[in-house]
Amino acid sequence: MKGAILGKKLGMISYFAEDGAQVPCSVIEAGPCPVVQVKTVETDGYSAVKVGYREVKEQRVNKPEMGLFIKAGVKPVGNITEFREYNGDLQVGDVLTLGQFAKGDKLRITGTSKGKGFQGVVRRHHFSGVGMATHGQSDRQRHPGSIGSSSYPSRVFKGMKMAGRMGGTKITVRNLTVVDIIEDQNIILIKGSVPGAVNSVLKIIKL
Amino acid sequence: MNKLRMIENMTKERALEVRRNKDGANFVEIPEFGPGDTINVAYRVVEGEKERIQNYKGIVIARRGAGLHQSFLVRKVSNGIGVERVFPLFSPMIQGIVVIRSGKVRRAKLYYLRGMSERKIRAKLS
């Protein structure tokens, strides 16, 4: 991994490329992310950098975390995240910024998708529904149909696709392209959509 | 949300800047226009290496969208065949827009002009 940062989704806009093409873009406010800990294979068994995003009030941080910040000598930050296998000469107290990225870079972005609530099988698993609207049927149009056989096995198999909570899960999108970077505003524009609602925190990693 | 608006304005400025750089002294601001107006859109066409300007004249029958994403729909009748074309309002490919005639209409979307004869349309727009 050569570049990584934490950011906040701001929304989407249109963007005109040099050749006049209209590109749908996600706007992400990313960084600065101070490094609060550097983990190495010798001391921790794996290598990673632990970073935070957005300063938080001191009273919002619990004592063990505060100890980490005091040791690192950085102001308390929220959204503590580890980036594994970060190969770069980073010291505690360094700050990750958008300077690591360039136009045209390919990214992997991880976030929490929007919660959709309790959804039926048609929306959740793209079932096609069972019945017809006519021929005496009145209430089978969005049903799952059979969920298994009868006396054998006398149970429903684990993992059977059914209605339930949808969304609100961790989603990773790969191969997203950087369209533009406005470094003094900490803004990165990415072609296409990214997971999650506006203001949700995203992990941005260079492929 | 405000920050997003700010970024949108910045990208809008950037799109204008592209036009300014391309046209230099020939740069013209995009005028105000609405549905019913007869306009001429000078649009850049890239042919291989070269770039030339193509004029497209017709009646604005709809404007849609907000912010940087706004677009407008222009209808004209070419050799007896109706042609409708959507232009992004802030596209750097637009060289200029000239309002030839402004029309008086009561509707925002003039889809009812489709299939009308030219004489009828003229009567409708004045």
Side-chain angles (χ1 to χ4, degrees):
Chain A
M1 194 210 299
K2 289 181 222 87
I5 204 164
L6 291 172
K8 184 178 87 168
K9 178 173 170 176
L10 292 184
M12 291 189 78
I13 59 166
S14 280
Y15 186 90
F16 288 101
E18 297 293 324
D19 61 350
Q22 201 171 11
V23 185
C25 277
S26 297
V27 183
I28 299 171
E29 189 178 19
C33 299
V35 176
V36 292
Q37 195 182 354
V38 177
K39 293 193 170 182
T40 57
V41 182
E42 292 83 56
T43 53
D44 306 278
Y46 64 98
S47 78
V49 285
K50 195 186 265 187
V51 300
Y53 175 52
R54 284 192 285 197
E55 282 180 18
V56 290
K57 284 181 187 167
E58 230 168 86
Q59 67 259 35
R60 300 260 181 264
V61 182
N62 61 24
K63 273 185 184 170
E65 268 188 347
M66 199 60 219
L68 189 71
F69 295 130
I70 290 166
K71 200 176 161 194
V74 296
K75 281 184 177 168
V77 280
N79 301 110
I80 297 281
T81 310
E82 274 185 19
F83 289 117
R84 286 250 189 162
E85 310 285 331
Y86 191 99
N87 31 342
D89 273 336
L90 281 178
Q91 306 289 321
V92 169
D94 283 355
V95 176
L96 297 182
T97 60
L98 282 172
Q100 321 164 70
F101 301 94
K103 271 187 196 180
D105 279 356
K106 293 285 182 188
L107 304 175
R108 185 169 82 214
I109 294 186
T110 305
T112 306
S113 63
K114 279 183 184 174
K116 306 283 192 295
F118 192 99
Q119 294 297 330
V121 287
V122 174
R123 173 112 195 257
R124 194 175 181 219
H125 299 299
H126 303 298
F127 282 19
S128 52
V130 174
M132 296 184 286
T134 55
H135 290 274
Q137 295 210 56
S138 58
D139 56 358
R140 294 284 180 273
Q141 279 195 61
R142 298 180 69 89
H143 276 230
S146 166
I147 55 168
S149 325
S150 172
S151 57
Y152 181 77
S154 285
R155 64 190 175 91
V156 175
F157 290 125
K158 272 189 178 174
M160 185 62 60
K161 287 176 181 173
M162 291 193 194
R165 285 274 182 96
M166 184 187 170
T169 54
K170 185 174 152 183
I171 302 282
T172 302
V173 185
R174 289 172 201 83
N175 271 331
L176 291 163
T177 316
V178 178
V179 172
D180 203 357
I181 293 169
I182 308 166
E183 235 185 298
D184 54 344
Q185 299 279 349
N186 290 323
I187 293 288
I188 183 167
L189 296 176
I190 285 151
K191 184 179 175 180
S193 56
V194 295
V198 167
N199 287 335
S200 62
V201 173
L202 302 164
K203 251 170 117 168
I204 303 163
I205 295 166
K206 199 152 124 182
L207 283 182
Chain B
M1 217 48 188
N2 284 334
K3 186 122 194 192
L4 184 68
R5 285 287 95 79
M6 205 185 81
I7 299 302
E8 187 165 29
N9 284 335
M10 277 172 75
T11 42
K12 196 190 270 180
E13 274 305 310
R14 210 196 60 97
L16 272 176
E17 201 56 49
V18 172
R19 289 214 302 128
R20 265 191 214 111
N21 288 341
K22 271 190 173 165
D23 297 334
N26 294 329
F27 175 78
V28 276
E29 295 275 339
I30 287 172
E32 295 257 321
F33 65 91
D37 294 354
T38 306
I39 63 167
N40 184 55
V41 184
Y43 202 72
R44 281 177 242 273
V45 183
V46 180
E47 282 170 342
E49 294 281 288
K50 275 187 173 172
E51 204 180 77
R52 64 181 185 84
I53 284 166
Q54 196 177 56
N55 286 306
Y56 185 93
K57 188 183 150 192
I59 300 162
V60 180
I61 59 170
R63 279 188 67 151
R64 58 172 75 112
L68 195 55
H69 195 63
Q70 279 175 68
S71 64
F72 57 97
L73 180 59
V74 186
R75 180 183 169 85
K76 73 168 179 181
V77 178
S78 172
N79 297 331
I81 297 163
V83 180
E84 282 177 15
R85 201 164 159 189
V86 181
F87 294 98
L89 186 62
F90 293 103
S91 169
M93 298 307 271
I94 290 178
Q95 195 269 325
I97 296 171
V98 179
V99 181
I100 295 164
R101 210 178 310 123
S102 55
K104 204 176 142 215
V105 286
R106 293 183 167 201
R107 249 146 277 269
K109 313 282 183 210
L110 309 178
Y111 301 133
Y112 66 87
L113 294 182
R114 291 168 181 166
M116 267 182 155
S117 71
E118 267 189 56
R119 223 184 61 213
K120 261 189 166 171
I121 290 174
R122 233 177 296 136
K124 272 278 179 197
L125 293 185
S126 52

